[in-house]
Amino acid sequence: MASATARRVLRDRVRANRAASAERRAVAHAARRVRSGARSLATHVIATGADAATVKGVVKALRTAAKNAGIKGRRARIRRSFDGARNVVKTVYRYTRAQVAQIAAQYKPRKAEYKGVRAALIAV
């Protein structure tokens, strides 16, 4: 019978592998969706394989760059849960790969990981 320490090590290894696998699936899923049509800026950034904190920072900067460049994505209406209210209708914008590449060309990041994401977005 395995000791408690051995079971704990195996459990932690399984959890880490499951988390890494989920992250790989999310990146592959986002990349597949981006190829099929217009998607949100966040989906485009996730498709580059960036981590969650980097995605948040880059998307915020890309939205600003899009506004400055005058690039508007296609409007869409979605229903979301928002501040405890269910089925709130929100207006969101979807961007094609070419639009995202154009926005990324306007974006001038300082952080090294943001520069890597920018390069991946420009390479259409």
Side-chain angles (χ1 to χ4, degrees):
M1 188 159 167
S3 69
T5 305
R7 282 194 304 268
R8 192 175 316 118
V9 167
L10 287 174
R11 183 193 64 215
D12 292 344
R13 187 181 308 149
V14 166
R15 285 180 180 169
N17 288 342
R18 190 176 296 137
S21 176
E23 188 174 328
R24 283 192 306 272
R25 278 193 313 271
V27 169
H29 183 67
R32 198 168 41 252
R33 291 178 70 192
V34 165
R35 286 191 300 270
S36 69
R39 297 294 175 193
S40 69
L41 287 175
T43 304
H44 284 276
V45 176
I46 289 169
T48 65
D51 60 61
T54 303
V55 168
K56 232 181 222 187
V58 171
V59 167
K60 190 172 181 178
L62 287 176
R63 283 195 185 107
T64 303
K67 187 164 53 167
N68 292 341
I71 299 170
K72 285 206 169 198
R74 189 180 73 215
R75 281 176 45 154
R77 307 279 285 178
I78 62 170
R79 293 183 182 275
R80 300 289 300 260
S81 294
F82 190 71
D83 286 340
R86 293 174 58 175
N87 288 331
V88 175
V89 177
K90 303 284 284 177
T91 300
V92 295
Y93 294 92
R94 305 294 190 219
Y95 299 87
T96 63
R97 289 172 79 178
Q99 286 175 320
V100 172
Q102 194 176 2
I103 293 167
Q106 300 287 326
Y107 173 48
K108 303 294 184 211
R110 293 183 188 155
K111 281 186 164 183
E113 56 267 17
Y114 290 11
K115 288 179 182 181
V117 171
R118 176 184 182 261
L121 290 173
I122 289 175
V124 174

